[in-house]
Amino acid sequence: MSKSPLKIAIAGLGTVGGGTVQLLHDQAELLAARAGRTLALVGAAALVRPPELPLDGVPFFTDARELAKTCDYDVLVELIGGAGGIALEVVKTALERGRSVVTANKAMIAHHGVELALIAERTGANIGFEASVGGGIPIIKSLREGLAGNRLSKVMGILNGTCNYILTTMRDSGRDFADVLAEAQALGYAEADPTFDIDGIDTAHKLAILASLAFTMPVDLDAVSCEGIRHVSALDIRYADELGYRIKLLGVASRTEAGVETRVYPAMVPLSFPLAHVGGPFNAIVTEGDFVGRTVLEGRGAGARPTASAVVADLMDLATGRVGPTFGVPVADLTPLPAAATGSHRSAYYIRLMVKDEPGVFADIAAALRDEKVSMEQIIQRGRAPEETVPVVMTVHETEEAAMLRAVARINALASIAEPAHLIRIENL
Ligand code: NDP
Ligand code: HSE
């Protein structure tokens, strides 16, 4: 092997950093054979040196800034996390030194991706962020390369392993939200602050990145509307089952003549659509292109080994020289696109109401829907409890979001309604 090794420095040795060190160690021969050169670890940083990792002979730093500034590497792998702070600092240091960066940090790419791409263009460095979206699924490469011959109209999917694990496990086991979230954290799926997962922020970061690549526009996190899964109850999950749906947290980016829409929301997905069957920590991403039609990619969306697989894919690209502009084209060629008007989005809906079981309730609810021209599809009410509240579940046909919200406001104002309506979109795909 005549080529010099690719010199790698890793900042962050937690779930993903640990998995990456292990993969580089376990697959060293395979990687060298495929790259035509060795991938050599020349430095690592974490607050505490993890004794279980194969880091013998690798210089260790407790200060990642020191690693980024002083170590002689070709590529810095940033696996600390956080949109700004030390992660951003070490990445900028590496890029300013003209050294490439590989990162799994979607928060940083969503907030600072364009700024970092500009530094990389100026200094001749490259940035790989395959691991930032979809865990082990090669979606960044697919958008940048495999689908490059298409105008994409849509990219959507299940983009957060923690939420999918929670929703699937709650359905399968009947366990409660907090208990399953704690398990997802123990398995290494969740963000350092898990509210990023359950409030949809992590999905929004990923969706903003995907929309940029799919529609050749600058990353626009502010344009993403975001709703998480906190309000999805075990009762909603049971009703979804009964109605022939699975509840999934979706990120959906679409481009129409009205503009670009980027939205994160929990949705009822029909069992006939493949995303309904994507369970546990798995992610799946659907794209629609004008020549290729629909593609679906599925795989493990979080965890040490799948994410390490994506980090190393970027390292292999750097080792072999398969590199290009960060977002597929130079930053100057990313074109901002108008956002579609809010409220114009059309969808069918599931509505769960907790009502006082008394005469005339249904008539009042039906009148609120009629007044906003929302057409009811079906209604379920079981049991009688004159003293207490009972759930009433309805589905309505596709309607404009603004009309649905007006109808819900009318319903919430009725004296017989015990708590605000629970609304979940039904995704008809
Ligand atoms: P962890 O919390 O498991 O690991 C973070 C690592 O960073 C730890 O090794 C920690 O050191 C180290 N660290 C923290 N502060 C410093 C510092 N000041 N200097 C040096 N090292 C520091 O996070 P994950 O591995 O889960 O996530 C890392 C990144 O990967 C994040 O951006 C995350 O969003 C992303 N990601 C995570 C996935 C997952 O499944 N977990 C999947 C895809 C992306 P110490 O251990 O000593 O405290
Ligand atoms: N916390 C993230 C998730 C990690 O659960 O999907 C993978 O990006």
Side-chain angles (χ1 to χ4, degrees):
M1 215 162 284
S2 57
K3 275 195 191 165
S4 58
L6 181 76
K7 291 177 281 183
I8 301 166
I10 296 200
L13 297 169
T15 302
V16 184
T20 301
V21 169
Q22 201 64 54
L23 196 165
L24 289 172
H25 174 267
D26 294 357
Q27 315 274 52
E29 275 183 34
L30 176 80
L31 298 174
R34 288 186 176 160
R37 61 198 289 204
T38 56
L39 275 62
L41 213 47
V42 297
L47 299 177
V48 178
R49 185 184 184 113
E52 72 284 4
L53 292 180
L55 285 169
D56 287 351
V58 177
F60 181 78
F61 298 72
T62 49
D63 183 352
R65 295 180 192 89
E66 201 57 26
L67 170 85
K69 256 190 254 163
T70 63
C71 186
D72 178 22
Y73 53 84
D74 299 310
V75 49
L76 179 92
V77 183
E78 183 282 307
L79 299 170
I80 293 174
I86 183 146
L88 184 63
E89 210 179 307
V90 299
V91 163
K92 282 186 172 173
T93 301
L95 294 175
E96 290 291 357
R97 290 180 72 191
R99 314 293 163 94
S100 291
V101 165
V102 167
T103 182
N105 190 335
K106 50 273 163 133
M108 183 177 67
I109 297 295
H111 282 277
H112 301 287
V114 171
E115 176 193 352
L116 296 175
L118 281 170
I119 304 177
E121 283 175 19
R122 176 165 50 77
T123 63
N126 292 288
I127 304 175
F129 53 98
E130 183 62 72
S132 68
V133 184
I137 303 172
I139 183 62
I140 305 294
K141 209 176 199 14
S142 296
L143 289 173
R144 256 193 318 218
E145 297 171 32
L147 297 167
N150 290 267
R151 279 181 203 285
L152 296 180
S153 54
K154 194 170 214 174
V155 54
M156 66 169 291
I158 297 169
L159 303 175
N160 185 270
T162 303
C163 287
N164 208 38
Y165 185 80
I166 291 172
L167 292 170
T168 312
T169 310
M170 280 174 74
R171 174 184 174 270
D172 292 348
S173 68
R175 285 163 56 202
D176 72 8
F177 188 97
D179 183 29
V180 184
L181 170 61
E183 191 171 275
Q185 288 179 281
L187 288 164
Y189 303 150
E191 294 304 298
D193 175 357
T195 60
F196 275 62
D197 296 292
I198 60 184
D199 289 336
I201 301 160
D202 178 74
T203 301
H205 289 150
K206 293 166 175 168
L207 189 66
I209 295 170
L210 294 184
S212 166
L213 291 164
F215 308 141
T216 322
M217 63 184 220
V219 183
D220 188 0
L221 183 59
D222 291 342
V224 183
S225 74
C226 185
E227 181 188 325
I229 63 164
R230 270 181 209 272
H231 66 284
V232 176
S233 69
L235 198 55
D236 296 320
I237 292 173
R238 282 209 298 279
Y239 275 114
D241 249 13
E242 189 173 324
L243 293 163
Y245 299 106
R246 294 279 185 276
I247 301 181
K248 299 289 173 191
L249 182 69
L250 297 182
V252 182
S254 44
R255 182 182 183 176
T256 63
E257 282 176 9
V260 170
E261 223 179 37
T262 43
R263 304 165 71 101
V264 174
Y265 52 87
M268 299 225 175
V269 177
L271 290 178
S272 56
F273 191 62
L275 290 190
H277 304 281
V278 175
F282 280 73
N283 284 188
I285 300 155
V286 180
T287 59
E288 282 171 16
D290 53 357
F291 272 66
V292 70
R294 182 175 280 179
T295 68
V296 184
L297 288 173
E298 182 187 346
R300 290 176 197 278
R305 290 168 69 94
T307 315
S309 162
V311 169
V312 171
D314 280 340
L315 291 172
M316 289 294 278
D317 278 350
L318 287 167
T320 51
R322 291 187 298 256
V323 290
T326 308
F327 293 103
V329 299
V331 169
D333 294 335
L334 294 170
T335 311
L337 296 171
T342 54
S344 63
H345 185 84
R346 291 185 68 79
S347 174
Y349 287 89
Y350 157 100
I351 307 151
R352 177 169 59 80
L353 304 169
M354 299 305 291
V355 305
K356 291 182 201 139
D357 193 4
E358 53 196 23
V361 176
F362 278 11
D364 290 343
I365 295 168
L369 294 173
R370 178 205 59 211
D371 290 350
E372 296 300 342
K373 299 189 175 45
V374 175
S375 160
M376 195 187 294
E377 186 198 17
Q378 55 181 322
I379 185 158
I380 308 172
Q381 187 203 330
R382 293 221 181 79
R384 283 225 62 193
E387 306 300 319
E388 297 168 26
T389 59
V390 289
V392 168
V393 163
M394 296 177 290
T395 58
V396 301
H397 291 292
E398 195 175 282
T399 188
E400 219 173 59
E401 182 175 37
M404 188 70 245
L405 294 179
R406 285 195 303 272
V408 163
R410 284 178 191 261
I411 291 170
N412 285 343
L414 296 172
S416 49
I417 300 296
E419 55 185 72
H422 299 260
L423 200 62
I424 301 179
R425 287 180 189 81
I426 296 176
E427 199 70 29
N428 283 320
L429 297 145

